[in-house]
Amino acid sequence: MKSNIIIFLCLISHAIVPTLSLKLYEIVCSELLHDNGHCFDELQADSRINSATNYQDLSKFILDMAITEATRAHRYLIKNLNRTPNDPAIAQCASAFYNKCIGALRSSMSEMVQDPQSAIDDTKIAGDQITNCDNALQAQKTRNRFAIGVLNKEALLLTEISVLALTHLTHSGGL
């Protein structure tokens, strides 16, 4: 009788395990305090992220996505600066904030393996630069601030997700 109970419990535990199996990006998105539905949608669309089997690869792929998004926002800002060269907020965003943001994300990518904590710190700096841009646009009441704000929000979300993924490197050794 006792062995039947043990076998039954083993069968139940094995039946439950596959349903609890989450992809790494799903774990990271579930840790996001806001906008995690958008996180799931954004990350699952990238096949590299969807198939990542360790946090080092996942972090690299998410950082790459963050760099791409920040670069896209930077290009948009430069186009706007060419149209409205007298807007100080757009000038700050295009020349200072996003240059620092992209530089910090690239630095994070290069430090990720050897020094995950520095990578986390750099990624946070990148996010701060995006926030600085958004604040400058709001304070200046820049004409295109809503369109730029959408790009800022997307880039900021990816930096936040990157920080969460990188944090796993400090705990798991990249696994």
Side-chain angles (χ1 to χ4, degrees):
M1 178 72 170
K2 197 176 197 180
S3 64
N4 287 344
I5 292 172
I6 293 171
I7 292 171
F8 177 73
L9 291 174
C10 287
L11 289 173
I12 289 175
S13 69
H14 286 303
I16 294 172
V17 170
T19 62
L20 296 177
S21 177
L22 293 175
K23 295 185 180 199
L24 295 179
Y25 82 89
E26 292 173 322
I27 293 168
V28 169
C29 285
S30 69
E31 295 168 350
L32 193 63
L33 297 177
H34 65 88
D35 231 356
N36 55 9
H38 187 78
C39 176
F40 286 110
D41 294 341
E42 187 76 26
L43 297 187
Q44 80 181 33
D46 187 314
S47 62
R48 300 172 308 158
I49 290 171
N50 204 347
S51 61
T53 57
N54 61 63
Y55 284 106
Q56 185 173 321
D57 288 344
L58 181 68
S59 297
K60 178 184 175 202
F61 300 146
I62 296 171
L63 276 169
D64 185 52
M65 187 181 267
I67 291 167
T68 299
E69 190 62 34
T71 301
R72 186 173 84 124
H74 189 222
R75 285 187 189 127
Y76 185 80
L77 284 159
I78 290 170
K79 276 186 192 176
N80 273 280
L81 183 59
N82 290 335
R83 288 185 210 134
T84 57
N86 295 327
D87 188 316
I90 290 179
Q92 264 189 310
C93 288
S95 63
F97 297 138
Y98 266 93
N99 283 336
K100 289 177 186 172
C101 170
I102 294 167
L105 289 170
R106 287 186 177 141
S107 178
S108 178
M109 181 79 84
S110 69
E111 295 168 333
M112 177 180 73
V113 174
Q114 297 299 322
D115 189 358
Q117 187 57 54
S118 289
I120 290 167
D121 294 341
D122 282 343
T123 305
K124 287 179 180 179
I125 289 168
D128 290 344
Q129 297 306 311
I130 296 167
T131 300
N132 291 343
C133 172
D134 215 39
N135 290 340
L137 295 168
Q138 294 298 328
Q140 190 65 36
K141 299 194 185 324
T142 297
R143 196 181 92 224
N144 290 335
R145 73 181 181 271
F146 298 111
I148 298 168
V150 169
L151 293 171
N152 283 345
K153 183 179 178 186
E154 190 70 25
L156 185 59
L157 178 64
L158 287 168
T159 63
E160 292 170 352
I161 297 167
S162 294
V163 167
L164 292 172
L166 289 163
T167 300
H168 284 273
L169 292 179
T170 62
H171 302 299
S172 68
L175 303 176

